[in-house]
Amino acid sequence: MGLSNHASTNSTHTGGKDNAKNDMTQGLLDAMPRPTLVIEPSGKLGLANKAARKMFGEAIQGRHYITVLRQPVLLDAVEKAMSERESVQARYLTTEAQRDVTLLAHCAPIEPDGGILVVFEDHTALEEAGQIRRDFVANVSHELKTPLTALIGFVETLQGAARDDPDSRQRFLGIMHKEAGRMNRLVGDLLSLSRVEANERVRPTTMIDLSAIARAAVSSLAPLAGENDVSVTSDGLESPCMIPADPDQLAQVVTNLMENAIKYSGKGTSVSVSLRREDDHPMTRGPAAILTVADTGEGIDALHIPRLTERFYRVDSHRSRELGGTGLGLAIVKHIVNRHRGRLKIESKPGQGSRFSVILPAAP
Ligand code: ADP
């Protein structure tokens, strides 16, 4: 057939032309980034481009497609495309550099030759994105369901058994207030997250004073620190530190980091908020503002650190919920820092406290 490298011709004077045509076809296929191969009407593999040879091996030409493609779903698709002369798609699973890869194989009839062209398209990222979305919806539903179930239960109790008991009523209303607050915080954090994600590609240009924002956060969290018996110190917040940023988002970064430090450190500990400027920082390749929130709390085990910024990831779910956490605070911080082209650095040792540093590009 015309698309085969092994194509031979009886006519000597057209042989040169055919070879040139085959080289051209091979060259064209090799230039295509997606693994592509041709199955001849006999079932043998004809042309295969570079990407396909990388995937299935160099010596596949001339072998029967069943021994190369192997996976039943794909074999069925090729067979159907072959017999019914119509395009058929099938999933093909493989591993590449120890990573699971999902490919979509498009099998299309080649007319008038009678062969099949198989083109593989990498669907891994798409499938992973789908999985992340499904997990996220499942997590949100679960997080909302718990306080909602509690609220419904207490409403029913107040309508029935506790209707005429003022003490129980008071106590149940207190719990209902707490649960409703939890849902409110969760919805608030979800909205923040979606707002930050929506404009993550838009880099802020307005110049703001990070010192002033950090000072405001320190004073607004003084009551929470007092309630938790945590002392807060600050360093370097006196002189202005100008950076291109969204002021509300930066306030949220400082607040989330400070709230965590105060919440998770426990009574009698201390939290420090410090800000310094470096004229030439390797991360920003220029001036940078470095804001650090450090605590003397229990610290975090190294195995959790890389996952802390994932949505709903908590070291101790029960404790986080008890303390009013939504599991979204650090995910929001990470997205805001990304939008500002900065970096979040987490250092911690169990028993020795934690340091969360945000490195942001600063004004020259
Ligand atoms: P949460 O709403 O649960 O606080 P975050 O995303 O803000 O969610 O934090 C994720 C988890 O990281 C927390 O549940 C907690 O286990 C851990 N964590 C965050 N900050 C600290 C800290 N300063 N000290 C100890 N653990 C922390």
Side-chain angles (χ1 to χ4, degrees):
M1 72 181 255
L3 281 168
S4 163
N5 249 358
H6 307 283
S8 59
T9 169
N10 294 330
S11 154
T12 42
H13 69 274
T14 56
K17 258 193 205 164
D18 266 8
N19 282 343
K21 205 171 127 200
N22 282 336
D23 286 350
M24 173 72 179
T25 315
Q26 181 68 58
L28 266 174
L29 284 183
D30 280 346
M32 283 163 45
R34 290 180 182 166
T36 303
L37 42 87
V38 172
I39 301 171
E40 294 178 2
S42 65
K44 294 225 165 99
L45 290 177
L47 289 175
N49 74 350
K50 243 189 214 155
R53 294 197 303 275
K54 193 169 159 230
M55 195 160 110
F56 295 105
E58 282 300 328
I60 52 170
Q61 268 183 345
R63 281 174 60 188
H64 198 279
Y65 77 87
I66 291 182
T67 63
V68 175
L69 304 181
R70 293 178 118 127
Q71 293 182 14
V73 183
L74 180 54
L75 299 182
D76 288 349
V78 172
E79 219 167 275
K80 189 164 180 222
M82 201 67 114
S83 58
E84 297 183 17
R85 310 309 299 159
E86 62 176 36
S87 293
V88 185
Q89 297 183 344
R91 276 173 96 227
Y92 185 81
L93 307 172
T94 178
T95 46
E96 205 180 272
Q98 292 173 345
R99 179 180 82 101
D100 287 338
V101 178
T102 307
L103 299 152
L104 191 67
H106 301 266
C107 311
I110 306 169
E111 306 301 1
D113 277 340
I116 299 289
L117 182 77
V118 188
V119 181
F120 293 87
E121 188 185 353
D122 194 340
H123 260 216
T124 317
L126 249 171
E127 298 222 349
E128 277 171 3
Q131 188 57 43
I132 290 172
R133 208 169 35 239
R134 285 191 291 279
D135 287 350
F136 182 65
V137 172
N139 274 325
V140 171
S141 315
H142 174 76
E143 296 287 337
L144 281 172
K145 199 162 171 25
T146 318
L148 253 182
T149 310
L151 274 177
I152 293 169
F154 284 116
V155 168
E156 283 168 0
T157 314
L158 285 175
Q159 283 171 331
R163 192 201 311 249
D164 302 318
D165 180 349
D167 284 350
S168 305
R169 203 163 53 211
Q170 218 36 44
R171 196 157 54 85
F172 292 158
L173 282 172
I175 304 173
M176 288 167 69
H177 188 250
K178 198 174 147 206
E179 295 297 336
R182 178 135 78 105
M183 283 169 55
N184 198 27
R185 271 194 306 281
L186 180 64
V187 172
D189 277 357
L190 285 170
L191 286 173
S192 293
L193 196 58
S194 84
R195 265 197 302 269
V196 183
E197 278 183 329
N199 62 11
E200 200 162 344
R201 288 170 203 281
V202 190
R203 197 174 176 166
T205 49
T206 320
M207 285 295 166
I208 58 132
D209 178 9
L210 185 55
S211 297
I213 287 181
R215 281 198 306 270
V218 169
S219 59
S220 73
L221 287 171
L224 182 73
E227 276 165 38
N228 285 272
D229 192 16
V230 170
S231 65
V232 178
T233 60
S234 58
D235 182 27
L237 305 189
E238 311 77 26
S239 42
C241 178
M242 302 307 288
I243 60 165
D246 178 318
D248 292 340
Q249 291 189 342
L250 261 281
Q252 191 159 18
V253 166
V254 190
T255 308
N256 286 6
L257 294 180
M258 281 191 68
E259 263 180 12
N260 278 352
I262 295 170
K263 270 186 336 197
Y264 295 110
S265 292
K267 290 201 184 315
T269 58
S270 62
V271 169
S272 75
V273 182
S274 58
L275 180 62
R276 67 191 165 85
R277 201 191 124 95
E278 268 186 30
D279 284 334
D280 193 10
H281 193 281
M283 202 291 291
T284 58
R285 296 209 187 102
I290 302 153
L291 178 101
T292 303
V293 177
D295 62 61
T296 57
E298 62 195 27
I300 306 160
D301 202 291
L303 90 118
H304 296 293
I305 293 179
R307 301 197 56 190
L308 290 184
T309 55
E310 284 175 24
R311 294 157 186 195
F312 298 114
Y313 188 86
R314 293 145 158 143
V315 175
D316 178 343
S317 303
H318 180 71
R319 178 131 186 265
S320 156
R321 289 201 184 93
E322 274 298 294
L323 297 170
T326 59
L328 294 174
L330 291 178
I332 294 173
V333 168
K334 189 188 83 178
H335 280 286
I336 294 177
V337 172
N338 282 351
R339 179 185 174 207
H340 288 77
R341 311 291 192 273
R343 218 186 113 200
L344 170 69
K345 201 164 127 197
I346 308 174
E347 298 157 293
S348 184
K349 276 214 178 97
Q352 292 181 27
S354 313
R355 277 172 75 85
F356 289 75
S357 306
V358 175
I359 305 155
L360 295 161

